[in-house]
Amino acid sequence: GEKLLPKGRHADIKFLVIAFKSDWLYPSYQAEDVVRQLKLRADGGRRLVIAYLNVGQAESYRTYWKKGWRIGKPSWILGTDPDGWQDNYPVAYWAKEWKALIVGEGGLMASIQEAGFDGVYLDWIGGFEDSNVLAKAKRDGVDARVEMVAWVGEVSQAAKARDPGFLIIAQNAAPLLSQAAYLGAIDGVA
């Protein structure tokens, strides 16, 4: 566990965002043990440990990715990342299958919370502006922006139903900050 803890001048940092992965960097460690260790600062204080969670893209290196998935299969995997991030694929985040992977029973959110994280850092909320997402939303007869606000709300509601103090931190998506429903669903912006 010592290899996982911040050292030197970083030993007392108060906040960490790390990728949640069921087997971590060291497969012999249980996620709960890793998170518990990371929460302890060298000065005896407590640090917040936040899980990274991409809610707008599927990532082929994550544990939920199934053999045979690719763009168009399932239909909610829409294209490649517009910024060139390899193995990242914008999704139709309003699709029931995608939602189930994230907030369904036994989904990523439940696993993150069971591991003891203090919150989540939601990535790719700005995906509502992606051309592949916009095209799919048009075909499905939905508004991508409205669906993203609703999706962040669903993620927040699912998490806070399990733990009212669980933090929801949104990355980017500044255009949504004018929406009351969006602001009500998040605790911070990065």
Side-chain angles (χ1 to χ4, degrees):
E2 288 297 313
K3 293 178 185 176
L4 300 173
L5 301 175
K7 302 269 189 263
R9 65 187 180 105
H10 302 293
D12 291 327
I13 59 173
K14 295 174 176 73
F15 187 91
L16 281 175
V17 176
I18 61 172
F20 174 73
K21 188 176 173 193
S22 60
D23 62 0
W24 293 88
L25 300 173
Y26 304 93
S28 63
Y29 288 100
Q30 295 296 316
E32 300 85 2
D33 294 335
V34 174
V35 172
R36 189 172 28 259
Q37 289 178 40
L38 290 174
K39 285 183 175 185
L40 300 175
R41 294 190 342 226
D43 66 1
R46 187 181 181 288
R47 112 178 9 101
L48 291 175
V49 181
I50 306 298
Y52 170 89
L53 179 61
N54 195 330
V55 295
Q57 289 187 324
E59 300 162 318
S60 64
Y61 45 89
R62 300 292 181 194
T63 57
Y64 60 75
W65 190 269
K66 292 182 177 34
K67 186 177 179 178
W69 280 9
R70 61 183 180 278
I71 296 169
K73 185 179 179 183
S75 63
W76 44 266
I77 297 177
L78 305 178
T80 58
D81 179 273
D83 298 317
W85 287 89
Q86 189 174 356
D87 301 320
N88 285 252
Y89 303 92
V91 298
Y93 40 83
W94 54 90
K96 289 178 185 173
E97 288 178 327
W98 176 248
K99 289 181 178 189
L101 286 171
I102 306 297
V103 297
E105 190 172 325
L108 283 175
M109 184 60 70
S111 297
I112 286 167
Q113 289 185 285
E114 288 166 9
F117 283 92
D118 297 299
V120 287
Y121 176 89
L122 302 180
D123 195 9
W124 237 68
I125 294 173
F128 67 89
E129 297 175 311
D130 177 73
S131 61
N132 290 307
V133 171
L134 289 167
K136 175 69 168 158
K138 186 175 182 177
R139 288 191 304 273
D140 288 354
V142 299
D143 182 306
R145 178 187 294 246
V146 169
E147 291 296 328
M148 183 55 82
V149 171
W151 177 220
V152 172
E154 287 178 56
V155 170
S156 180
Q157 184 177 4
K160 290 179 185 288
R162 290 184 198 97
D163 176 2
F166 196 76
L167 299 172
I168 307 295
I169 302 166
Q171 189 223 7
N172 297 330
L176 299 183
L177 293 173
S178 64
Q179 308 231 350
Y182 180 68
L183 289 174
I186 62 174
D187 298 297
V189 177

